[in-house]
Amino acid sequence: MNGTADRMDEMKDDARLDGMKDEALLVAGQAVSLRSLVADRLRLAIITGRFRPGQQLRERELCELTGVSRPSLREALRQLEAEGLIATAPHRGPVVAALNVEEVGQLYALRQVLESFAAREFARLRRPADIAALKAAVKRLDEVEKAGTPLEMLEIGTAFYGAIATGSGNPYLAQTLGALHNRIALIRFISLHRRARIAQSFAALRALSEAIIAGDETLADRLCTELLEAVGATARAVVEAGYRLPGSADDAGLAA
Amino acid sequence: MNGTADRMDEMKDDARLDGMKDEALLVAGQAVSLRSLVADRLRLAIITGRFRPGQQLRERELCELTGVSRPSLREALRQLEAEGLIATAPHRGPVVAALNVEEVGQLYALRQVLESFAAREFARLRRPADIAALKAAVKRLDEVEKAGTPLEMLEIGTAFYGAIATGSGNPYLAQTLGALHNRIALIRFISLHRRARIAQSFAALRALSEAIIAGDETLADRLCTELLEAVGATARAVVEAGYRLPGSADDAGLAA
DNA sequence: GATCGTTTTTTTGTCTTACAAATTTACAAA
DNA sequence: TTTGTAAATTTGTAAGACAAAAAAACGATC
């Protein structure tokens, strides 16, 4: 997600007496540049709906909001643009990307393929650390199902899908899925206000995690495909309703 | 690939007398900003090996080479960074991304899933314009197989895969695949110097296109998966050989 | 009163200059 | 050879400025 990927020179044929991993010593490459912070903030503002889909973002306003200079801000904007979160028309500036029903369907079709592949790979590899992370995600799932705000549920849902993406053992797959999740995060967030769907989704997530832990690649693949079929339908419904919460007369939705 | 995505307001319920499509009238949104030109040039330089994997890129040099100021250059760099073509370490500047064997395997695994999905969707949809584009790509394939430079073959190969990506009808899939192809373009280019593999690959591409045109989704999927298994193995071999052309003592490869 | 054309204003795109911070390199000393 | 220090290079960030384009406001004409 961060875009920065370092790699240390490997130490070959170096007899190691301790069991410490090299990664535990790595301190450089934390990438705390101002522009990446700005990109993170703006990304969060977009995926949480602080900036609505279709909203025009003026550079001057963003400079005041973030407190950084224009060059830094613009570099951050280019990053978000590459991630697909904003669209920039020449001489008209950045606009928060707004998805129509067709586009959401296409994104979810892609997500279905990628996430099912990740689940299958996860079930095949079953690396202990990833399994533990998945179990922890399931545990948090149980905790918030009864009484949890939509924002909390969005977070643990993201953690759950993140665990699956990581468990695939393929960083590029995980990164692609992460970017995809950012693009649909707002829709997911709105979807989570439909409590009827939540129970179904959570049950499906549990079944999926069990299939992965059991190492049943075929089942994991199928369950994930079916799950995404369902959430994709909900997502399309959300967009068709104009990004509005069900039952609420949210006039801000007109901006989209 | 360009990062800019405009959308005109749709005309609903507007009785049309002519058969012209709205897209044929769209003139805005060509995105000819300087920074996008710079990004295109740098991308091409990386893809074609003008900048070698692992090579450090100094901003000042790039400014002189491209003739633009630092702000514009840096915005272009952020875009390439998001595309994964360069990696930026804090206070050390951009470096052309260098892939090891494991990473190439992971990229090709992802490509396998995405491209097979695209082929399957293409075979399902079979839109006339896309079919025509595919046939044109096959035709060009025949022309360059006998006598063609590796660069020419890389180009038509890219056109072929581009036709498949477009034919999927999913722009996000096409964009993801396009970015992925950029990351492995140099490896593909080097692979194309192994003439023995070329005949096999080209034959496989023809079989794949026939399956798509015939509308055989299952066959298209399987052929594509098999094809990518083969080219993936070649790609790993190229990286294992240090990005060097087979048989040539290219000492520049040591930079990787 | 509505439409068209012009002018003004705002906003983006780009460049120049500048300086702080960090890294790398060079160099001297133990 | 290694270590410590200083210089030079390079990146990160900021501020100011101007041209170009788009949007908005305004006025003129039908």
Side-chain angles (χ1 to χ4, degrees):
Chain A
M1 185 93 72
N2 211 316
T4 305
D6 281 17
R7 174 161 41 254
M8 267 194 157
D9 294 330
E10 307 130 276
M11 303 183 185
K12 299 169 193 164
D13 309 325
D14 195 31
R16 301 285 291 272
L17 292 178
D18 55 60
M20 191 181 186
K21 291 179 182 173
D22 286 344
E23 292 85 50
L25 285 167
L26 185 61
V27 62
Q30 297 289 339
V32 286
S33 64
L34 201 52
R35 65 157 182 279
S36 62
L37 285 178
V38 173
D40 291 345
R41 293 299 180 91
L42 294 182
R43 190 185 299 111
L44 191 66
I46 291 173
I47 68 182
T48 58
R50 166 73 177 78
F51 297 141
R52 310 287 305 206
Q55 180 178 345
Q56 183 138 26
L57 303 175
R58 266 174 283 282
E59 291 186 0
R60 207 185 122 197
E61 289 180 21
L62 296 181
C63 286
E64 290 175 2
L65 284 171
T66 58
V68 300
S69 65
R70 266 183 79 202
S72 298
L73 176 79
R74 284 174 62 91
E75 287 188 41
L77 288 177
R78 293 295 89 73
Q79 199 164 329
L80 298 179
E81 188 180 347
E83 292 175 19
L85 265 62
I86 63 175
T88 305
H91 289 280
R92 268 195 286 174
V95 171
V96 179
L99 302 168
N100 60 33
V101 181
E102 185 190 9
E103 291 165 333
V104 169
Q106 291 165 340
L107 277 174
Y108 269 81
L110 182 56
R111 184 184 164 194
Q112 193 174 35
V113 170
L114 291 174
E115 214 139 81
S116 300
F117 175 53
R120 194 166 65 236
E121 286 290 283
F122 197 167
R124 184 174 65 86
L125 294 177
R126 281 198 288 176
R127 296 182 301 190
D130 296 326
I131 294 286
L134 182 65
K135 284 181 177 172
V138 173
K139 198 174 179 183
R140 291 187 57 201
L141 210 68
D142 299 330
E143 291 169 5
V144 296
E145 181 172 12
K146 294 280 163 56
T149 66
L151 188 59
E152 285 173 337
M153 290 194 281
L154 178 72
E155 274 175 9
I156 95 102
T158 303
F160 191 95
Y161 291 120
I164 291 179
T166 306
S168 74
N170 190 326
Y172 301 105
L173 173 58
Q175 189 193 336
T176 306
L177 266 173
L180 212 161
H181 270 272
N182 281 338
R183 301 180 85 158
I184 57 175
L186 179 59
I187 298 172
R188 283 186 53 225
F189 178 57
I190 297 175
S191 300
L192 284 168
H193 287 81
R194 310 192 172 193
R195 299 202 71 90
R197 279 261 164 243
I198 294 175
Q200 295 177 26
S201 294
F202 277 31
L205 288 178
R206 281 194 201 87
L208 173 58
S209 68
E210 284 168 15
I212 291 173
I213 294 171
D216 192 334
E217 303 174 34
T218 312
L219 182 61
D221 190 323
R222 209 189 68 221
L223 288 177
C224 194
T225 303
E226 290 171 358
L227 166 63
L228 284 170
E229 202 76 53
V231 297
T234 306
R236 288 194 294 275
V238 166
V239 175
E240 219 148 29
Y243 290 91
R244 269 184 293 273
L245 272 53
S248 82
D250 186 357
D251 55 329
L254 292 173
Chain B
M1 186 97 72
N2 212 316
T4 306
D6 282 17
R7 174 161 41 256
M8 267 194 158
D9 294 328
E10 307 132 275
M11 303 184 188
K12 299 170 194 164
D13 308 326
D14 196 29
R16 302 286 293 275
L17 293 178
D18 55 55
M20 192 180 186
K21 291 178 182 172
D22 285 344
E23 293 84 49
L25 287 167
L26 185 63
V27 63
Q30 297 290 336
V32 286
S33 64
L34 202 52
R35 66 157 181 279
S36 63
L37 284 178
V38 173
D40 290 345
R41 293 298 179 91
L42 293 182
R43 190 185 298 113
L44 192 65
I46 293 173
I47 286 176
T48 57
R50 166 74 177 76
F51 297 141
R52 310 286 305 207
Q55 179 178 344
Q56 183 138 29
L57 303 175
R58 268 174 280 285
E59 292 186 358
R60 206 184 123 200
E61 287 181 22
L62 296 181
C63 286
E64 290 174 2
L65 285 172
T66 59
V68 300
S69 66
R70 264 184 80 204
S72 299
L73 176 80
R74 284 174 62 91
E75 287 188 42
L77 287 177
R78 293 295 88 73
Q79 198 163 331
L80 298 179
E81 188 181 348
E83 292 175 20
L85 265 60
I86 63 174
T88 305
H91 289 281
R92 266 196 287 176
V95 172
V96 179
L99 302 168
N100 61 34
V101 180
E102 185 190 10
E103 293 166 332
V104 169
Q106 292 165 338
L107 277 175
Y108 269 82
L110 182 57
R111 184 186 165 194
Q112 194 173 34
V113 170
L114 291 174
E115 214 138 80
S116 299
F117 175 54
R120 194 166 65 236
E121 287 289 284
F122 196 167
R124 184 173 65 85
L125 295 177
R126 279 198 290 174
R127 296 181 301 189
D130 296 325
I131 294 286
L134 182 65
K135 284 181 178 174
V138 172
K139 199 174 178 182
R140 290 187 57 201
L141 209 69
D142 299 331
E143 291 168 6
V144 296
E145 181 171 12
K146 294 283 164 54
T149 67
L151 187 60
E152 284 171 338
M153 290 193 281
L154 178 72
E155 276 176 7
I156 95 103
T158 303
F160 191 96
Y161 291 119
I164 291 178
T166 305
S168 73
N170 191 324
Y172 302 104
L173 172 59
Q175 188 193 336
T176 306
L177 266 173
L180 211 162
H181 269 273
N182 281 339
R183 301 180 86 159
I184 58 176
L186 179 59
I187 298 172
R188 284 186 53 226
F189 178 58
I190 298 174
S191 299
L192 283 169
H193 288 80
R194 310 194 172 191
R195 300 202 69 92
R197 280 258 165 246
I198 293 174
Q200 295 177 27
S201 295
F202 277 31
L205 287 178
R206 282 195 200 87
L208 173 59
S209 68
E210 283 167 16
I212 291 173
I213 293 171
D216 193 333
E217 303 175 34
T218 312
L219 182 61
D221 190 324
R222 208 190 68 220
L223 287 177
C224 194
T225 303
E226 290 172 358
L227 166 62
L228 283 170
E229 201 76 54
V231 297
T234 307
R236 288 194 295 275
V238 166
V239 175
E240 219 148 30
Y243 290 92
R244 267 184 295 274
L245 273 53
S248 83
D250 187 358
D251 54 331
L254 292 173

